[in-house]
Amino acid sequence: MKTEKFDAIVIGAGQAGPPLAGRLSSSGMRVAVIERKLIGGTCVNIGCTPTKTLVASAHAAHVARRVRVYGVETGPVMVDMQAVKARKDAVVRASRQGVEDWLRGMNNCTIIRGHAKMTGADTVDVNGSRLVAPRIFLNVGSRPATPDIPGLSDVPVLTSSTLLDLELVPRHLVVIGGSYVGLEFAQTFRRFGAGVTIVEKADRLIAREDYDISAAVEDILKKEGIVIRTAAECVRLERNSSEIAVRVDCSSGPEKIFASHVLLALGRRPNTDDLGLETVGVHVNDAGFIVVDEELATNVKGIWALGDCNGRGAFTHTAYNDYEIVAENLLDGGSRRVSQRIPSYGVFIDPPLGRVGWTEREAAAAGHRVRIGKRPMTRVARARERGETLGFMKIIVDADSDLILGGAILGVSGDEAVHGLLGAMNTRLTASEFSRIVPIHPTVSELIPTILHELQP
Ligand SMILES: Cc1cc2nc3c(=O)[nH]c(=O)nc-3n(C[C@H](O)[C@H](O)[C@H](O)COP(=O)(O)OP(=O)(O)OC[C@H]3O[C@@H](n4cnc5c(N)ncnc54)[C@H](O)[C@@H]3O)c2cc1C
């Protein structure tokens, strides 16, 4: 077998692999990047980029339907799914090409297309060749989980990846799973004109959030005509002539829902089962995520795991931050740790939810005495001016230290405005200090200091 030596091997060209390859190669190392599918990984090809492109098309349709609110007249609104998909494909293609060009432009970096399997602590086999390096970085990501639902093998179902290829508007899309990915698709396809039902096992949507957030999100989606079936603990799929019957044996509502299309949005599992980790002795947990320490090193010397596959984050920005931690510690003598990262994410329904830090429940469970500030978007001038007043802003502050523990902005521009809180939390700005800044009027962010002035126990 042909053997080639490198200074570092990166498996997976997702969100951490390419920037890491860039840093390693520019520091003079010979680097191999192995990718079995599409450069750019999940986010660029089947995750963030295509979904946010579809969300934008859906938003355009939504605005077009309510233009009269703004005093504008237009004709009937039609959604051309082939054109929507073509636009999405073009944006994805350009993004992927950008990452590919960037990788190919790196000196000392070899891109190898194929499935990588570890055969030793410093050895990786790909396409019948053997690569050897003293440093191996696993950035293999994750894929949709397909839990064992009765009847699943009898009917065609869609995942978050295959739904992206639809060139028609489903008559009735049933989304199984009422969490972040499921909600984005549900609203997007509703706005394209599909009938949509969300089926969720828990007693509320996005059950990790506080109750008031779940309730407000449910309200937003229901207002658009989405049917929500929570507490659906007994989902079963059946073929029913040309349709799919989704049995939902819940306490209320019809027992069977007839779907033209079913989307399974039930979480993701790491791509670690075909990587040869058992041969090398790299530890994984029960769910298959690679166990890493604070600096993202595995239990085997010389092997690190970054991004979704280590279970320490499930977002593009967390994968990228993993790269920053590893690169700085390895190349710049840094001591960055993954626990220094403050959790943050967006749920890109419309209006979006921007979230940072702890929920109210988490803060209370951790033993904090909290003060809470809350304001409905109906009391935000910018939201009223834009005619988008759904949702609310909420900030959680530690009553003793006056530090901000978390926040949620569910409302127009909430995904952007929440960064003010993230900045304050990272710099340990107290609520009193933050409340003295002079923000720009009229913005959503300008209400953050106001809310901090009005905190209640
Ligand atoms: C529908 C959807 C929407 C999303 N929206 C957002 C969002 O809005 N914001 C956000 O922050 N995150 C979002 N995410 C999550 C985000 O896409 C992931 O967190 C991110 O892509 C993780 O990056 P990664 O580098 O860990 O892995 P990935 O991007 O998954 O990359 C891993 C790469 O490794 C390759 N690979 C795997 N095994 C091997 C092997 N053995 N040999 C060679 N190559 C291999 C894979 O082909 C893949 O290209 C979304 C995800 C989905 C599914």
Side-chain angles (χ1 to χ4, degrees):
M1 187 185 268
K2 186 183 147 211
T3 302
E4 200 173 350
K5 288 195 171 160
F6 290 90
D7 297 309
I9 298 169
V10 177
I11 303 181
Q15 294 304 304
L20 184 62
R23 271 306 308 274
L24 296 169
S25 59
S26 63
S27 75
M29 291 190 203
R30 262 193 92 217
V31 181
V33 176
I34 310 171
E35 172 54 57
R36 70 178 175 190
K37 220 167 169 194
L38 296 171
I39 302 268
T42 304
C43 181
V44 168
N45 297 290
I46 47 169
C48 334
T49 305
T51 54
K52 270 78 243 181
T53 308
L54 293 183
V55 164
S57 288
H59 182 253
H62 181 67
V63 171
R65 284 190 195 104
R66 56 188 298 264
V67 282
R68 296 191 81 170
V69 171
Y70 301 93
V72 178
E73 291 292 336
T74 178
V77 178
M78 311 282 283
V79 173
D80 176 349
M81 272 309 285
Q82 288 188 351
V84 166
K85 180 176 175 294
R87 173 176 180 274
K88 181 265 296 175
D89 289 342
V91 174
V92 168
R93 238 185 345 262
S95 306
R96 181 169 60 237
Q97 195 60 51
V99 183
E100 195 156 346
D101 292 347
W102 175 40
L103 264 177
R104 291 201 187 284
M106 292 174 190
N107 289 327
N108 303 323
C109 180
T110 306
I111 302 171
I112 299 164
R113 310 304 294 255
H115 175 81
K117 195 156 185 170
M118 299 204 64
T119 45
D122 60 353
T123 315
V124 176
D125 286 2
V126 55
N127 302 336
S129 296
R130 181 151 288 178
L131 315 185
V132 179
R135 301 167 199 85
I136 295 176
F137 303 94
L138 310 173
N139 175 221
V140 292
S142 60
R143 61 183 184 274
T146 43
D148 201 12
I149 296 177
L152 187 60
S153 55
D154 305 332
V155 296
V157 290
L158 298 161
T159 65
S160 63
S161 312
T162 54
L163 183 59
L164 296 169
D165 293 330
L166 279 195
E167 287 196 334
L168 52 82
V169 177
R171 183 191 69 75
H172 186 189
L173 175 69
V174 172
V175 177
I176 303 182
S179 201
Y180 312 102
V181 168
L183 299 191
E184 286 180 22
F185 277 119
Q187 188 184 44
T188 295
F189 277 86
R190 178 68 193 140
R191 289 179 169 192
F192 288 157
V196 175
T197 301
I198 301 172
V199 174
E200 166 57 48
K201 194 173 169 188
D203 60 358
R204 60 193 176 101
L205 300 180
I206 43 173
R208 256 190 273 165
E209 306 299 334
D210 282 331
Y211 289 95
D212 49 4
I213 295 284
S214 292
V217 165
E218 199 166 316
D219 189 46
I220 287 166
L221 298 178
K222 278 183 174 165
K223 277 196 168 81
E224 293 193 22
I226 295 173
V227 177
I228 297 170
R229 298 292 310 271
T230 48
E233 287 183 3
C234 38
V235 175
R236 167 184 288 275
L237 302 171
E238 290 168 7
R239 190 175 276 282
N240 189 285
S241 60
S242 63
E243 301 228 300
I244 303 163
V246 183
R247 263 183 188 276
V248 189
D249 190 13
C250 307
S251 46
S252 64
E255 213 206 351
K256 274 187 189 177
I257 303 162
F258 294 98
S260 59
H261 295 75
V262 171
L263 167 67
L264 287 191
L266 294 165
R268 297 180 67 80
R269 56 181 290 205
N271 293 322
T272 52
D273 40 359
D274 52 3
L275 197 52
L277 297 180
E278 60 295 339
T279 318
V280 189
V282 170
H283 291 163
V284 296
N285 68 16
D286 290 346
F289 291 101
I290 301 169
V291 178
V292 288
D293 67 13
E294 281 279 341
E295 298 190 41
L296 307 172
T298 70
N299 62 305
V300 176
K301 195 170 159 37
I303 304 178
W304 289 258
L306 301 85
D308 280 12
C309 68
N310 66 24
R312 302 294 294 260
F315 301 101
T316 284
H317 47 281
T318 50
Y320 190 82
N321 180 235
D322 283 0
Y323 138 68
E324 293 176 316
I325 292 167
V326 169
E328 199 169 314
N329 294 356
L330 217 59
L331 302 171
D332 305 332
S335 55
R336 290 180 71 170
R337 302 165 76 77
V338 70
S339 58
Q340 290 166 341
R341 178 161 74 210
I342 294 171
S344 65
Y345 49 88
V347 183
F348 296 93
I349 55 167
D350 175 35
L353 169 65
R355 274 274 298 110
V356 293
W358 280 343
T359 62
E360 183 181 346
R361 268 190 318 154
E362 286 167 343
H368 289 267
R369 241 170 21 93
V370 295
R371 292 195 302 153
I372 308 278
K374 230 171 138 175
R375 172 172 284 249
M377 296 306 285
T378 47
R379 291 182 59 215
V380 175
R382 187 63 191 275
R384 284 204 304 271
E385 288 148 9
R386 289 180 58 161
E388 299 180 55
T389 51
L390 294 176
F392 62 91
M393 303 168 74
K394 176 175 180 178
I395 307 174
I396 299 131
V397 172
D398 183 285
D400 300 305
S401 67
D402 200 31
L403 289 171
I404 297 165
L405 298 175
I409 305 184
L410 172 65
V412 59
S413 303
D415 49 341
E416 298 290 347
V418 83
H419 284 89
L421 292 174
L422 187 58
M425 289 173 74
N426 271 287
T427 52
R428 296 181 67 76
L429 200 67
T430 63
S432 318
E433 286 163 341
F434 198 158
S435 68
R436 278 183 232 123
I437 68 167
V438 182
I440 296 167
H441 174 78
T443 58
V444 173
S445 298
E446 77 174 317
L447 272 305
I448 294 177
T450 311
I451 294 170
L452 292 173
H453 271 301
E454 298 168 352
L455 296 170
Q456 300 288 332

